[in-house]
Amino acid sequence: DIQMTQSPSTLSASVGDRVTITCRASQSTSSWLAWYQQKPGKAPKFLIYTASSLESGVPSRFSGSGSGTEFTLTISSLQPDDFATYYCQQYNSSLFGPGTKVDIK
Amino acid sequence: QVQLQESGPGLVKPSETLSLTCAVSGYSISSGDYWGWIRQPPGKGLEWIGSIHLSGSTFYNPSLKSRATISIDTSKNQFSLELSSVTAADTAVYFCARHPGGGTPSDFWGQGTLVTVSS
């Protein structure tokens, strides 16, 4: 079975910082990788699919990269609305990573 | 705009069956997409439960397959989840969601509903 990991589990950052979150799969997942943002008490918001394609309406400061077993989500300049938990998902098997919480430094 | 809304009891007794419904509005459930359930225990991560296609084909998380049943009702534009023999470990926020194809990400989500398993 594929296992998904994310690092770090928590990331403290300031507004304006460049933030990078890593997602790793225990075996190749090609580019079937999505990213979601979740705020407390809310449903996840779909951000990125096929590892690097931005969903319509998602700000361009979000970007994704990677293929195979290692993927990254980058926020180029962190905004106040971006403090949240981020999940990757290998959607071919619908498996989610454990999440990375981005909080205020 | 696709909108999804979960409904069902917020409290279920141990060993009983959890039943939830997801009403879809602004979009026809018969359009050929997949419809799924995802849950999130308090303070924890997301776990996919399973999905159903209009054709009735279902796909389940192997860890829950023996207890989960997803069905679809095109006449009411809704789909449902039943999870049998629940324990406290099934306490979670349950989300319904759409994914446009088999093995695709979930692009529209319901707001989620908390189900607590307790006597």
Side-chain angles (χ1 to χ4, degrees):
Chain A
D1 292 349
I2 295 178
Q3 304 293 323
M4 305 297 292
T5 59
Q6 287 183 237
S7 60
S9 55
T10 304
L11 188 161
S12 296
S14 302
V15 172
D17 283 354
R18 181 181 180 88
V19 166
T20 299
I21 297 167
T22 300
C23 174
R24 291 185 176 89
S26 59
Q27 54 186 276
S28 179
T29 182
S30 186
S31 294
W32 307 123
L33 198 286
W35 290 96
Y36 300 85
Q37 174 195 68
Q38 187 181 33
K39 296 180 180 179
K42 300 293 186 182
K45 176 185 175 183
F46 177 43
L47 300 176
I48 287 171
Y49 59 100
T50 56
S52 60
S53 300
L54 214 59
E55 173 69 347
S56 176
V58 174
S60 59
R61 63 181 180 273
F62 290 91
S63 64
S65 65
S67 66
T69 62
E70 187 159 328
F71 304 86
T72 58
L73 171 70
T74 300
I75 308 172
S76 60
S77 177
L78 197 67
Q79 298 302 301
D81 191 48
D82 301 337
F83 292 100
T85 299
Y86 293 85
Y87 294 92
C88 61
Q89 182 197 28
Q90 197 281 3
Y91 50 84
N92 209 29
S93 59
S94 298
L95 184 61
F96 291 93
T100 294
K101 183 178 181 180
V102 177
D103 63 18
I104 299 173
K105 192 173 186 178
Chain B
Q1 180 81 344
V2 185
Q3 295 186 334
L4 300 96
Q5 178 68 59
E6 305 87 351
S7 63
L11 181 63
V12 180
K13 289 182 168 54
S15 80
E16 295 189 346
T17 296
L18 176 161
S19 296
L20 295 173
T21 295
C22 181
V24 179
S25 58
Y27 190 82
S28 172
I29 204 169
S30 300
S31 295
D33 307 88
Y34 288 73
W35 305 92
W37 290 95
I38 300 101
R39 70 181 183 178
Q40 185 172 38
K44 297 187 177 180
L46 300 163
E47 179 183 36
W48 172 71
I49 298 169
S51 301
I52 189 166
H53 183 256
L54 166 68
S55 65
S57 296
T58 51
F59 308 88
Y60 296 106
N61 184 327
S63 69
L64 294 167
K65 183 176 181 178
S66 63
R67 297 196 293 127
T69 303
I70 298 174
S71 58
I72 194 166
D73 186 340
T74 55
S75 67
K76 295 182 178 179
N77 217 44
Q78 64 186 34
F79 61 105
S80 300
L81 169 70
E82 290 193 338
L83 188 66
S84 64
S85 305
V86 297
T87 69
D90 295 309
T91 294
V93 175
Y94 285 76
F95 297 98
C96 58
R98 181 192 86 154
H99 44 118
T104 61
S106 299
D107 55 359
F108 289 96
W109 295 64
Q111 65 185 23
T113 187
L114 174 63
V115 179
T116 302
V117 178
S118 175
S119 55

